């Protein structure tokens, strides 16, 4: 099973700041990674697929990148609506998917 | 509009059964892998099961033998039959479509297993 490890678990940031979230795969997943955003009481929403492509309707302040088995989600300038939990999901092993444990962005 | 709408959740006693449904619309259902992902209260996301376009099925190792996924392409619907339910199966169950650029999630249905 491919393990996905996200860090940090919680990040306290102020609106307007730039933030970087990390997700590390236990083996090469070849860029087959998505980032999901989940707000309280809501379903996850796809932000990024294939490591760096924004899904339809996702603002340009969200970007994704890859370096080997390390994947990064960057939010260039945090807006109030961005405070949420973010999950990474690998699908190189589809249809057996695994998720990171999540990073919670909270207001500082 | 593309939609996934789950139903069938509720309160069930340990050892009981429940059948979840996912009604879909706005896309060609029979062309996509579909699946279920669950989220226990306050926890992360856990893949449960997937079904392919040829009815090939896949399950998380921890669930094999208790859960069964199926689809009805004529009704554009996905199902999850859950038997011998345990307290640790308590979660919101999400219906999902494929992954990557085709990834889509429903709003979820809550299953509570408690006596």
């Amino acid at each position: 099973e491919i393990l996905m490890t996200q860090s940090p678990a919680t990040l306290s940031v102020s609106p307007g700041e730039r933030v970087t979230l990390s997700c590390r795969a236990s083996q090469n997943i070849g860029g087959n990674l998505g980032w999901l955003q989940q707000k309280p009481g809501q379903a996850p929403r796809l932000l990024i697929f294939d490591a760096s492509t924004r899904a339809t309707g996702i603002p340009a302040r969200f970007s994704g990148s890859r370096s080997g088995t390390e994947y990064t989600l960057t939010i260039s300038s945090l807006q109030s609506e961005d405070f949420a939990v973010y999950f990474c999901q690998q699908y190189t092993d589809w249809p057996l998917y695994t998720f990171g444990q999540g990073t919670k962005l909270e207001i500082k | 509009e593309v939609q996934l709408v789950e139903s069938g959740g509720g309160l069930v006693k340990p050892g009981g059964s429940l059948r979840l449904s996912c009604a879909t619309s706005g896309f060609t259902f029979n062309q996509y892998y579909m699946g279920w992902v669950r989220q226990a209260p306050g926890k992360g996301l856990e893949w449960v099961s997937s079904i392919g376009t040829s009815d090939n099925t896949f399950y998380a190792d921890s669930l094999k033998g208790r859960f069964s996924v199926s689809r009805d392409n004529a009704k554009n619907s996905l199902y999850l039959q859950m038997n011998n339910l345990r307290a640790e199966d308590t979660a919101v169950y999400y219906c999902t479509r494929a992954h990557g650029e085709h990834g889509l999630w429903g709003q979820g249905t809550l299953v509570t297993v408690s006596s």
Side-chain angles (χ1 to χ4, degrees):
Chain A
E1 178 182 320
I2 299 174
L3 298 179
M4 307 300 295
T5 303
Q6 287 187 246
S7 61
T10 304
L11 200 52
S12 297
V13 293
S14 301
E17 283 187 17
R18 177 187 179 92
V19 64
T20 299
L21 284 63
S22 294
C23 175
R24 175 171 293 171
S26 60
Q27 62 190 68
N28 180 22
I29 59 171
N32 295 313
L33 180 119
W35 287 96
L36 306 165
Q37 178 194 64
Q38 186 178 36
K39 297 180 181 179
Q42 296 186 18
R45 176 176 74 142
L46 179 67
L47 297 176
I48 300 283
F49 63 90
D50 294 350
S52 60
T53 303
R54 278 190 302 277
T56 303
I58 302 303
R61 65 180 181 272
F62 291 92
S63 62
S65 63
R66 169 196 176 191
S67 177
T69 59
E70 187 84 26
Y71 294 81
T72 299
L73 174 69
T74 299
I75 309 173
S76 59
S77 178
L78 270 171
Q79 305 299 302
S80 57
E81 61 266 31
D82 300 336
F83 290 94
V85 180
Y86 292 82
F87 295 96
C88 59
Q89 175 194 15
Q90 70 79 20
Y91 43 84
T92 202
D93 211 16
W94 75 277
L96 283 66
Y97 305 109
T98 50
F99 300 88
Q101 72 273 36
T103 292
K104 181 179 181 181
L105 280 187
E106 59 180 29
I107 300 175
K108 192 173 187 178
Chain B
E1 182 187 3
V2 179
Q3 272 193 315
L4 308 176
V5 179
E6 303 92 336
S7 61
L11 176 63
V12 61
K13 289 182 168 55
S17 297
L18 214 52
R19 189 194 194 209
L20 306 183
S21 299
C22 172
T24 75
S25 58
F27 64 97
T28 307
F29 179 75
N30 61 15
Q31 293 184 357
Y32 289 90
Y33 266 69
M34 299 294 297
W36 294 93
V37 173
R38 70 183 181 181
Q39 186 173 36
K43 302 297 183 181
L45 301 169
E46 179 187 19
W47 172 73
V48 170
S49 178
S50 296
I51 183 167
T53 55
S54 301
D55 285 346
N56 39 335
T57 58
F58 306 84
Y59 300 94
D61 285 344
S62 60
L63 300 172
K64 281 180 182 175
R66 295 195 299 126
F67 287 17
S68 176
V69 64
S70 61
R71 64 192 298 162
D72 185 334
N73 291 335
K75 295 183 178 179
N76 295 326
S77 292
L78 176 72
Y79 306 98
L80 185 68
Q81 177 68 42
M82 304 185 295
N83 298 326
N84 191 20
L85 283 161
R86 306 167 181 168
E88 55 265 35
D89 295 319
T90 294
V92 174
Y93 285 73
Y94 295 102
C95 172
T96 63
R97 184 185 74 177
H99 59 264
E101 66 178 304
H102 303 293
L104 185 67
W105 296 62
Q107 283 303 304
T109 186
L110 176 62
V111 172
T112 303
V113 184
S114 175
S115 55

